[in-house]
Amino acid sequence: MKKDKYKFLCFLTVACIVIGMLPAINLYKLSKDYDFKKLFNTDRVEKYVNYSFYKLFNISLESNSVVVGDDGFLFLGNRHANVLHKSQGLFDFNKADVAIWTDKLKSIQQWYESRGIQFVLVIAPNKHTVYNNKMARWSRHNSSNRTVTDEIVDIAKTKEINLLDLRSILIKSKTQYDDLLYLRTDTHWNGLGASIAYEETIKYLNHRYNESYQTPVYSYRKVDDGGKDLARFLKIISILPKNHETSIWFDFDKQYDVCLGDINKKTHDLEECK
């Protein structure tokens, strides 16, 4: 009984010390911009705890939102549209729903082409798919599991939908470049990944519609960058080095004009290209 009472007092003492430290830390940080509501905010403590687990143990304390992989890679977690389960082939989807969706997609394609507009659906794979080898082992995709994307691609082919599946192209491309195609601390591809997707789309359009579109001539350079959105989810973006991430910037051989033409949503008429 005395031991239990002693343990309780120790716990209470430690809890009071920890709780008491929060306003002290926040008051010190907010000395120039005092806000009583933020005195018990845990963000400053969490970011250092999260950063320690991220750097030392490759562990995310917010794994439902962000999954930590190998070599500092961060991936979006299941809290966001079940993206992890979808990439693993564990998401339970209805084949009938996919069939209905692809029927609508076919109708959209026919609508565009009837107005002289070339149409192609491009599947832009997420980082989970392209850098599956960088994910934590427990979260990787098993090739025997069929994904909802696999189902969409197969049905779209039977309905002759113009579809460009970039998954295998980008997976192959990542071995041909020394630089990454996706950002370590974001869900998105970087400029290099986007440029590959762009060039492959132009190739597809040329083949499908017997065109001869030319891609612009450009070179790319690497630019030091800080953490991105997934690091923000872990609240560690402010303490990552300024060169933690590498962005890709492009230099073009000349000035290119871009023409943007909208479609009137009410009348469905094509507006002037400007």
Side-chain angles (χ1 to χ4, degrees):
M1 189 71 176
K2 287 184 178 180
K3 287 184 178 181
D4 291 339
K5 186 177 181 180
Y6 175 74
K7 289 179 181 179
F8 174 76
L9 290 174
C10 288
F11 171 78
L12 190 62
T13 302
V14 171
C16 289
I17 293 173
V18 171
I19 293 173
M21 287 173 63
L22 271 178
I25 294 171
N26 287 326
L27 184 60
Y28 171 75
K29 293 289 184 179
L30 298 170
S31 57
K32 294 182 179 180
D33 187 21
Y34 179 79
D35 186 348
F36 179 78
K37 295 179 181 178
K38 295 182 179 180
L39 284 183
F40 288 92
N41 188 297
T42 61
D43 286 353
R44 288 178 176 79
V45 175
E46 284 184 71
K47 72 178 177 181
Y48 287 106
V49 174
N50 286 342
Y51 182 76
S52 299
F53 275 81
Y54 165 56
K55 293 295 289 185
L56 297 177
F57 308 112
N58 264 29
I59 293 175
S60 168
L61 296 181
E62 300 286 343
S63 59
N64 198 34
S65 183
V66 180
V67 177
V68 175
D70 296 336
D71 299 329
F73 272 69
L74 298 179
F75 297 88
L76 205 60
N78 261 336
R79 180 179 297 171
H80 309 277
N82 292 302
V83 63
L84 187 58
H85 281 170
K86 288 177 180 176
S87 67
Q88 291 174 306
L90 300 178
F91 181 73
D92 186 21
F93 61 90
N94 189 323
K95 291 186 178 182
D97 290 339
V98 176
I100 293 172
W101 185 80
T102 49
D103 279 340
K104 293 179 179 179
L105 189 61
K106 180 67 175 181
S107 297
I108 293 173
Q109 176 176 306
Q110 292 171 336
W111 185 91
Y112 276 105
E113 291 185 331
S114 68
R115 288 161 174 78
I117 302 173
Q118 296 167 349
F119 177 93
V120 55
L121 171 68
V122 180
I123 293 184
N126 58 22
K127 190 166 67 173
H128 303 69
T129 300
V130 178
Y131 283 98
N132 183 59
N133 62 313
K134 293 295 185 181
M135 297 186 69
R137 291 190 178 277
W138 63 267
S139 61
R140 292 179 186 176
H141 172 243
N142 186 329
S143 58
S144 63
N145 292 343
R146 186 171 175 80
T147 67
V148 63
T149 305
D150 293 329
E151 186 72 15
I152 290 172
V153 170
D154 288 349
I155 294 181
K157 287 179 179 178
T158 64
K159 297 178 180 179
E160 298 183 336
I161 294 171
N162 298 339
L163 184 143
L164 172 59
D165 184 1
L166 289 174
R167 291 179 297 175
S168 61
I169 294 171
L170 285 171
I171 289 172
K172 181 180 179 180
S173 295
K174 75 177 183 180
T175 63
Q176 299 174 346
Y177 291 87
D178 294 331
D179 301 304
L180 295 174
L181 308 183
Y182 283 66
L183 295 159
R184 288 181 188 274
T185 57
D186 207 329
T187 61
H188 307 293
W189 53 30
N190 58 21
L192 181 55
S195 70
I196 294 171
Y198 166 72
E199 291 183 354
E200 290 296 329
T201 302
I202 296 299
K203 289 180 185 177
Y204 184 95
L205 287 171
N206 284 338
H207 175 74
R208 171 64 181 82
Y209 293 101
N210 194 28
E211 297 285 359
S212 56
Y213 298 123
Q214 299 294 315
T215 57
V217 178
Y218 58 85
S219 59
Y220 74 88
R221 52 193 167 94
K222 295 180 286 186
V223 179
D224 287 343
D225 207 346
K228 300 297 182 181
D229 281 348
L230 294 180
R232 193 185 309 278
F233 290 174
L234 287 178
K235 303 178 182 178
I236 63 174
I237 192 169
S238 64
I239 55 178
L240 289 176
K242 298 299 182 182
N243 62 348
H244 186 78
E245 193 73 77
T246 301
S247 290
I248 300 295
W249 288 28
F250 292 96
D251 295 310
F252 295 89
D253 65 328
K254 63 180 181 180
Q255 184 72 32
Y256 288 92
D257 293 325
V258 178
C259 176
L260 175 64
D262 290 331
I263 297 176
N264 189 300
K265 294 179 180 178
K266 292 183 178 179
T267 64
H268 295 169
D269 293 328
L270 304 182
E271 297 181 348
E272 182 182 356
C273 190
K274 300 179 180 179

